[in-house]
Amino acid sequence: MLVKLALRNVRRSAREYAIYFVTLVLGVAVFYAFNAVGDSSALFEAKETGEGVLTSGGPDVFGHISRLISMLSVAVAVVLGLLVLYANRFVVRARKHEFGTYLLLGMTAPQVCAVVLMETLSVGAISLACGLALGIGVSQGLSFAAAALLKMSVANYQIIFSAGSAAATLATFAAIFLVTAAFDALQIGRCRIIILLNSRSTGERMALRRPVFCVVGFALAIAILALAYCTLAAFGMNFMSDEFLRGTALMLVGTLLLFWSGSGFVVLVLSRSDSVYLRGLRMFTVRQVAHKANTAFVSLWAVCVLLFIAITTFACGSGLASLYSDDMSESAPYDASFIGYATSEDSPSREAYQENDGDSLAWMEENCPSWSELVKTAAQIEHWNAERMAYGELEKALGISSGSNVDSSFASNPVQFVGVSQYNGVARLIGAQEIVMADDEYAVCNNVDSLSAFSEALASSEKGIDMLGSHLKASGTLVTAQLVDEDIAYSTAVLVVPDGIVRTARAEGLCPSQCTVDVMYRDGFSQAVATAQLSEECEQARESGSLWPYSYAIDPETIRSDTLALKLAITYLGLYISFVFLVTTAAVLSVQQLSEVAESIGRYRMLARLGCDRRALMASLRSQMAAYFAAPLVVALCHATCAVGVMYTSALSFAGVDPMVLAGAAGLVMGVYLLYLVCTYQVAKGAIVSGVGSRLLS
């Protein structure tokens, strides 16, 4: 009999269960799609078509992505659990009178709790089925979107069901259902029959917090958030540092305290001005918003955190993804670069470098049997670090104007220089501009946008540079050649100096920071295959423990595959997942607001009977919706501005990320959020008109 009653209640209380059902469906869909990334069809095909498709390391990238998702899923499960619990509160609150009637008719509290448990399991089972179906569709859509972005083939496409993700989803939400049922039983068991029967007339009333507590709490929240911002700005976004963890904890605590005290503080401030507070329906509007915020401050905090993660990840992910392109002509113009190091004191690398007079090219020609067969042309270039001279110090010494300041994250780096003959050698390989200058002059090589102004000022400075006992003047020459194959163009204000400076450095026993041999292969050879062959021969020929003349090699094909792997990670973890987070939070706010409107129909009907016209009621509704949606969004935008600003200053600007890309991504996030706000208002408006009656709303 209890089972039949529970099933009948689910059908009869469909409206009350709507918010709970929608929240569960969205949560299940997001959680499944989140964890099914590694098994999505586009990725599955990429793994099966060969090791080198996405990364030189083969399928390991998918393991890394899956592990990251597994760690993030713990936080996602906690947040979704909080949101489901909050949504379930509306169901229990709307049916308190019904539960009181059951008790009045002779049912025991355990029997009522059993009915609620069976209802929860019934709705949960339906929600899981619908959510998994939606999640499978979302997962396939993400696969196609990622395949289009990465220009991957999805021929012979088949829908892939991720059993592992489904099992994780079922286990997670089963735990959420059990916790929800326990809270329901606790909430119903603690209430007396008279309270349950009078719930319709009393509603859910929240004791107003004392104004002094709200003022103190609000001021304390602002102080904590200011301290968190200052901590993150001072120490940067080093995710493994104690300062970052401290700043993050302060931000979370300050945000929770802000939502706890904010509504009472706003009511206190507005109520001090009668001309503002008592005008029109503002008292009703403010009290409605304050009541919602007092009831749901934990939920608003959780939504704010999710929005912060979504906005920050979406903006930074968009900026980073824009850096990487399939076109390797600028960042990797050579067929391969073989890189070695010889800087360690008393090391085999240093000894090998000195014994061979630093001639990496001659060593490779002699020790690689396949060299003449594979290599058409090659050139050697060595990067040297100027002792006791950093770019920031060089900027001050030359008196470069503030408008051309070097980026703060780059100022502590040692000044790099290369010999002019070696520069011209690699420039001839790719047809770049060669340099002709006097023996007492220097030129500058730079292709990083954020250092363009500094490099121009450096190349045309009227003051000279003292280096290894020589005084060098600026030649006025600025070139943009890429000196080594890399994933992004990265010649960072490198000084091109006379060969005499390099000879002096060698004579003083110094070693270069990096030794590179750039090669161009003969026609008909795969870059990756030829590079692998020469790398194997170098490893066999070099001395044990030595990193000179070969430590590793890189070629455009390998860079392209690694770039695709990085784009894949950024796309899923940064763009798509954060977008789904955004949609989920906006949808949850929407269904919460619609439930609140349904419970407030009687208040709107009373206002209409007292003479309030349709325009005034709709204006109050718009203000309530805007305030409720804006509160977590504004706080999340403040947090995101701090986080993105710190990351842009310390890393993204130097990498060449366009700030307009970050702004555009944040704008897209806000656009989707505002779309949900407009849709929610339109639905709520229709519910009020239907509930109050068109005759009263003339």
Side-chain angles (χ1 to χ4, degrees):
M1 184 178 111
L2 295 180
V3 174
K4 185 182 296 185
L5 177 62
L7 295 177
R8 184 182 66 85
N9 286 345
V10 170
R11 292 193 300 270
R12 185 172 55 85
S13 305
R15 189 174 116 180
E16 285 79 4
Y17 272 112
I19 180 173
Y20 184 65
F21 177 78
V22 171
T23 304
L24 279 176
V25 169
L26 290 175
V28 170
V30 170
F31 198 84
Y32 174 87
F34 209 133
N35 287 272
V37 168
D39 294 326
S40 60
S41 182
L43 306 183
F44 182 82
E45 181 181 8
K47 287 190 286 186
E48 295 296 327
T49 54
E51 274 197 10
V53 174
L54 287 182
T55 176
S56 57
D60 286 343
V61 63
F62 302 100
H64 295 323
I65 294 175
S66 297
R67 283 190 289 273
L68 284 174
I69 289 175
S70 298
M71 290 187 291
L72 289 175
S73 294
V74 177
V76 173
V78 172
V79 174
L80 288 177
L82 290 173
L83 293 177
V84 169
L85 282 173
Y86 180 70
N88 183 68
R89 289 180 67 249
F90 292 108
V91 179
V92 175
R93 187 176 62 190
R95 300 180 60 201
K96 279 185 176 180
H97 185 273
E98 176 185 341
F99 297 148
T101 303
Y102 291 156
L103 293 174
L104 188 63
L105 293 175
M107 290 181 65
T108 63
Q111 288 178 320
V112 175
C113 292
V115 171
V116 174
L117 175 61
M118 286 184 282
E119 293 178 15
T120 301
L121 293 178
S122 300
V123 176
I126 299 173
S127 303
L128 276 174
C130 296
L132 283 175
L134 179 61
I136 292 172
V138 171
S139 177
Q140 310 310 308
L142 293 182
S143 298
F144 277 107
L149 177 67
L150 304 179
K151 301 180 181 179
M152 294 162 50
S153 171
V154 287
N156 303 319
Y157 178 82
Q158 293 180 347
I159 295 178
I160 300 297
F161 176 74
S162 175
S165 176
T169 304
L170 291 173
T172 299
F173 281 87
I176 292 176
F177 294 154
L178 291 177
V179 174
T180 302
F183 270 89
D184 289 345
L186 182 63
Q187 189 173 359
I188 295 172
R190 292 174 57 185
C191 290
R192 292 177 296 176
I193 295 180
I194 188 63
I195 296 177
L196 294 173
L197 292 175
N198 290 333
S199 60
R200 287 184 178 176
S201 58
T202 60
E204 183 180 21
R205 294 183 59 85
M206 293 292 294
L208 293 178
R209 301 185 180 97
R210 293 186 177 182
V212 64
F213 291 163
C214 293
V215 172
V216 172
F218 189 82
L220 185 59
I222 297 298
I224 292 175
L225 290 176
L227 179 59
Y229 289 173
C230 292
T231 301
L232 294 177
F235 296 98
M237 302 294 287
N238 183 359
F239 302 110
M240 303 304 295
S241 67
D242 294 338
E243 290 78 10
F244 172 79
L245 296 177
R246 188 182 306 115
T248 303
L250 288 172
M251 185 177 292
L252 293 175
V253 173
T255 303
L256 181 61
L257 185 58
L258 183 69
F259 284 115
W260 180 85
S261 61
S263 60
F265 178 79
V266 171
V267 171
L268 178 64
V269 171
L270 293 180
S271 62
R272 296 294 181 181
S273 175
D274 292 345
S275 60
V276 174
Y277 189 60
L278 301 179
R279 185 176 180 180
L281 294 179
R282 287 182 181 174
M283 186 195 311
F284 170 74
T285 302
V286 170
R287 289 286 177 174
Q288 282 282 97
V289 174
H291 168 71
K292 295 175 185 178
N294 284 340
T295 305
F297 73 92
V298 175
S299 177
L300 288 174
W301 170 77
V303 168
C304 178
V305 171
L306 276 182
L307 280 175
F308 163 68
I309 296 173
I311 294 172
T312 303
T313 310
F314 199 93
C316 294
S318 300
L320 289 175
S322 68
L323 285 178
Y324 299 98
S325 170
D326 293 337
D327 183 10
M328 299 286 105
S329 60
E330 292 186 5
S331 62
Y334 311 98
D335 285 349
S337 292
F338 293 83
I339 299 169
Y341 302 98
T343 55
S344 300
E345 295 289 341
D346 301 325
S347 69
S349 304
R350 186 184 186 90
E351 294 175 0
Y353 175 83
Q354 293 175 342
E355 288 175 2
N356 292 272
D357 295 326
D359 198 337
S360 304
L361 179 56
W363 186 95
M364 296 186 71
E365 290 175 343
E366 179 181 351
N367 291 278
C368 296
S370 302
W371 184 270
S372 58
E373 177 188 355
L374 298 174
V375 178
K376 181 179 180 181
T377 56
Q380 174 181 340
I381 188 167
E382 297 173 335
H383 287 73
W384 299 77
N385 289 339
E387 289 190 323
R388 296 181 295 276
M389 183 187 297
Y391 280 101
E393 297 170 354
L394 180 62
E395 175 191 28
K396 294 178 181 178
L398 298 181
I400 296 177
S401 63
S402 59
S404 303
N405 275 357
V406 65
D407 189 277
S408 58
S409 63
F410 186 68
S412 60
N413 289 2
V415 174
Q416 285 191 330
F417 64 91
V418 298
V420 63
S421 295
Q422 291 187 345
Y423 168 83
N424 287 334
V426 298
R428 280 191 293 271
L429 290 181
I430 57 176
Q433 176 186 347
E434 297 185 38
I435 296 175
V436 178
M437 63 184 186
D439 290 340
D440 61 346
E441 293 181 333
Y442 70 88
V444 179
C445 179
N446 176 76
N447 55 19
V448 177
D449 290 340
S450 62
L451 296 176
S452 295
F454 171 75
S455 299
E456 292 174 2
L458 180 60
S460 59
S461 174
E462 296 180 357
K463 296 183 179 181
I465 299 175
D466 293 321
M467 182 178 293
L468 294 174
S470 299
H471 184 77
L472 303 178
K473 301 178 297 183
S475 65
T477 303
L478 175 63
V479 294
T480 59
Q482 178 72 7
L483 305 180
V484 183
D485 282 344
E486 296 188 74
D487 51 0
I488 58 176
Y490 204 67
S491 293
T492 53
V494 178
L495 298 183
V496 183
V497 301
D499 293 334
I501 299 295
V502 176
R503 288 193 294 268
T504 301
R506 285 204 185 104
E508 294 184 1
L510 302 179
C511 289
S513 61
Q514 179 176 302
C515 308
T516 305
V517 175
D518 294 322
V519 305
M520 306 298 286
Y521 294 123
R522 298 185 187 278
D523 295 339
F525 291 102
S526 165
Q527 294 173 346
V529 173
T531 303
Q533 176 65 29
L534 292 177
S535 296
E536 182 179 355
E537 294 174 357
C538 287
E539 289 179 352
Q540 293 174 354
R542 71 181 177 183
E543 295 183 13
S544 176
S546 175
L547 298 178
W548 186 94
Y550 171 82
S551 175
Y552 68 94
I554 192 167
D555 60 82
E557 289 182 3
T558 303
I559 294 174
R560 186 177 294 108
S561 64
D562 289 344
T563 298
L564 289 177
L566 185 58
K567 269 191 174 182
L568 180 68
I570 292 175
T571 298
Y572 271 98
L573 299 179
L575 307 183
Y576 293 126
I577 294 174
S578 61
F579 190 79
V580 174
F581 262 24
L582 170 67
V583 171
T584 302
T585 53
V588 169
L589 283 178
S590 297
V591 292
Q592 289 177 355
Q593 279 294 90
L594 293 176
S595 178
E596 289 280 359
V597 168
E599 294 183 353
S600 300
I601 293 296
R603 300 168 188 167
Y604 287 101
R605 185 183 298 114
M606 179 63 68
L607 289 173
R609 288 174 177 172
L610 292 175
C612 291
D613 58 12
R614 180 190 184 117
R615 182 177 178 181
L617 290 179
M618 293 304 107
S620 175
L621 176 64
R622 285 194 299 271
S623 299
Q624 294 176 44
M625 293 278 183
Y628 196 77
F629 271 77
L633 178 61
V634 170
V635 178
L637 283 175
C638 292
H639 295 349
T641 300
C642 173
V644 174
V646 172
M647 285 188 285
Y648 182 78
T649 301
S650 61
L652 298 181
S653 63
F654 178 68
V657 175
D658 187 351
M660 294 306 297
V661 174
L662 304 179
L668 179 60
V669 169
M670 294 182 63
V672 174
Y673 196 77
L674 291 175
L675 177 63
Y676 266 90
L677 172 59
V678 173
C679 293
T680 304
Y681 168 72
Q682 294 298 329
V683 175
K685 178 181 176 181
I688 290 177
V689 172
S690 175
V692 174
S694 56
R695 296 198 323 189
L696 289 175
L697 294 176
S698 55

